Amino acid sequence: MDQDPKSTATAAIEHRSFARIGFLGNPSDVYFGRTISFTIGNFWASVKLEPSEHVIIKPHPFHDLVQFNSLDHLLNRLENEGYYGGVRLLMAICKVFRNHCKDNGIQLHQRNFTLSYDTNIPRQTGLSGSSAIVSAALSCLLDFYNVRHLIKLQVRPNLVLNAEKELGIVAGLQDRVAQVYGGLVHMDFSKEHMDKLGHGIYTPMDITLLPPLHLIYAENPSDSGKVHSRVRQRWLDGDEMIITSMEEVGKLAEEGRTALLEKDHSKLVQLMNRNFDLRRKMFGDECLGAMNVEMVEVARRVGAASKFTGSGGAVVVFCPEGPSQVKSLEEECKKLGFILEPVKIAPSCLNDSDIQSLG
């Protein structure tokens, strides 16, 4: 539903953006490949925009902590959480949004606002926690300035990614597309489309096509931020093994789309496992991390299909044999200190204005 522009002068605006799972084809999104991803209702980030006299970015009481009980508390906090909270993400999307509007002749009113955020997406789990905050904030800005119909849906993931690039975050468009569109989305990042359009071809799919899935993640995850590094350079250098493997990874998403449409679950098992095997071949176990590999292996030991949701930190699992297999997996995860929970698919978040902007 379109918002009355006058109502945004006094009303608070709040948007959620959900965690996402890269189902098939990742990480080929940064290599002109194809992917299938979906958003999950298990975890989300929310951003609230309230009109105010000045532009204010409010620190989160936990994620942007600046008061500590002691010097040791500060050190412990940095070792576990790093230096990064959400304030920088909100500032970056404000900058990218303003510049995009300026560059494209989109007039903005002069009223100001306060942005605040919250998130329950576990850190370092490869579930796109940072981009969820940015995506939710972008939605708030679109509504506050009443420009949702002026910024095409296909372009918005680029704005989210550009905000993260401002901060030196290395990533691809897949996560941002999934969070901007919501639901289940097939994405084609072929070089032809990227060069001609500046974005890929994104096709929403029916979320009921997905079989029951589960998520495995660790209570104390290892850092998953260094995974892309060496492979990217080898790809740029023309390494044949990397190039052919990445092309095959992208093709898995095409085969996966057919398997989903035909409800061919045995094919999905093969494709999910193959996706991880190819990632392992390209990146190597040292780069992937022992705990991340073990999360995949524990699922495979009970006969389930498994692969990373992103760059590591969490694993998406399909148990084709049903509840008894899930029960076995639950017991194995418990022994290793891993958390297992059913995936709740979050449906598409597009409204009439969004669909209109596709034109």
Side-chain angles (χ1 to χ4, degrees):
M1 186 187 293
D2 290 347
Q3 277 195 291
D4 177 357
K6 289 176 184 171
S7 73
T8 60
T10 54
I13 298 164
E14 191 162 0
H15 282 286
R16 275 186 182 184
S17 186
F18 292 94
R20 75 90 197 88
I21 285 177
F23 186 53
L24 286 168
N26 58 313
S28 77
D29 57 314
V30 284
Y31 303 92
F32 303 118
R34 294 174 173 83
T35 63
I36 296 175
S37 294
F38 56 86
T39 44
I40 61 171
N42 304 61
F43 306 111
W44 61 86
S46 61
V47 173
K48 189 175 187 180
L49 184 153
E50 299 169 278
S52 56
E53 186 181 352
H54 303 283
V55 173
I56 300 168
I57 311 295
K58 284 174 80 170
H60 190 278
F62 177 77
H63 301 296
D64 298 290
L65 196 62
V66 290
Q67 180 175 315
F68 305 91
N69 298 331
S70 66
L71 194 56
D72 285 339
H73 180 208
L74 185 153
L75 261 65
N76 184 56
R77 169 63 184 226
L78 291 179
E79 282 167 8
N80 289 304
E81 302 287 329
Y83 288 91
Y84 307 125
V87 165
R88 65 188 188 130
L89 297 166
L90 298 180
M91 287 184 169
I93 190 58
C94 286
K95 176 185 175 182
V96 167
F97 171 78
R98 179 69 189 96
N99 284 341
H100 178 82
C101 291
K102 198 173 179 180
D103 293 345
N104 290 275
I106 298 170
Q107 298 295 315
L108 301 179
H109 62 67
Q110 295 302 304
R111 297 190 295 275
N112 289 331
F113 57 83
T114 295
L115 279 180
S116 57
Y117 79 98
D118 197 6
T119 180
N120 62 10
I121 301 175
R123 286 186 69 258
Q124 298 295 349
T125 49
L127 294 170
S128 299
S130 295
S131 57
I133 294 169
V134 179
S135 179
L138 176 60
S139 280
C140 289
L141 293 169
L142 292 171
D143 287 342
F144 180 67
Y145 289 102
N146 197 41
V147 293
R148 193 172 279 275
H149 59 296
L150 297 176
I151 300 178
K152 281 189 172 185
L153 190 61
Q154 305 96 311
V155 171
R156 293 178 206 166
N158 293 52
L159 301 186
V160 177
L161 183 59
N162 288 343
E164 293 177 274
K165 281 182 177 175
E166 283 277 323
L167 304 169
I169 295 171
V170 179
L173 277 166
Q174 170 190 222
D175 307 355
R176 290 90 206 149
V177 174
Q179 289 170 327
V180 165
Y181 280 67
L184 176 66
V185 188
H186 175 273
M187 309 167 204
D188 182 347
F189 299 103
S190 302
K191 192 172 190 302
E192 178 193 351
H193 301 318
M194 297 301 292
D195 288 347
K196 184 180 175 184
L197 306 170
H199 57 75
I201 302 294
Y202 312 134
T203 311
M205 297 177 69
D206 182 353
I207 59 172
T208 63
L209 293 171
L210 286 166
L213 298 168
H214 284 76
L215 186 69
I216 299 176
Y217 61 100
E219 289 183 86
N220 300 299
S222 54
D223 185 1
S224 66
K226 303 184 181 88
V227 173
H228 288 297
S229 54
R230 191 70 200 109
V231 168
R232 180 76 182 167
Q233 192 54 52
R234 287 172 65 188
W235 183 80
L236 289 169
D237 291 343
D239 185 311
E240 193 176 333
M241 187 275 280
I242 298 295
I243 289 170
T244 56
S245 296
M246 203 61 80
E247 283 173 356
E248 186 180 344
V249 169
K251 285 173 185 170
L252 296 177
E254 286 309 295
E255 293 181 59
R257 177 160 67 168
T258 303
L260 284 169
L261 292 168
E262 294 177 355
K263 301 274 186 181
D264 187 347
H265 290 174
S266 60
K267 183 69 173 175
L268 285 179
V269 168
Q270 294 170 28
L271 296 173
M272 287 175 71
N273 285 333
R274 182 63 180 155
N275 203 148
F276 178 74
D277 291 344
L278 286 165
R279 178 186 280 272
R280 192 174 193 175
K281 177 183 167 187
M282 289 185 284
F283 289 92
D285 283 14
E286 189 182 352
C287 201
L288 297 187
M291 184 185 285
N292 290 328
V293 172
E294 181 58 19
M295 281 190 277
V296 171
E297 295 288 2
V298 70
R300 290 191 174 186
R301 285 198 291 271
V302 302
S306 56
K307 63 176 291 296
F308 287 179
T309 60
S311 298
V315 165
V316 58
V317 179
F318 174 37
C319 293
E321 293 165 27
S324 61
Q325 196 172 32
V326 173
K327 183 72 178 164
S328 299
L329 180 57
E330 203 168 33
E331 289 165 5
E332 292 303 310
C333 284
K334 200 171 182 180
K335 289 177 197 170
L336 295 164
F338 295 150
I339 297 163
L340 176 74
E341 60 181 80
V343 167
K344 301 167 193 165
I345 312 296
S348 170
C349 52
L350 305 183
N351 63 23
D352 292 343
S353 264
D354 296 326
I355 292 159
Q356 182 187 334
S357 80
L358 283 167

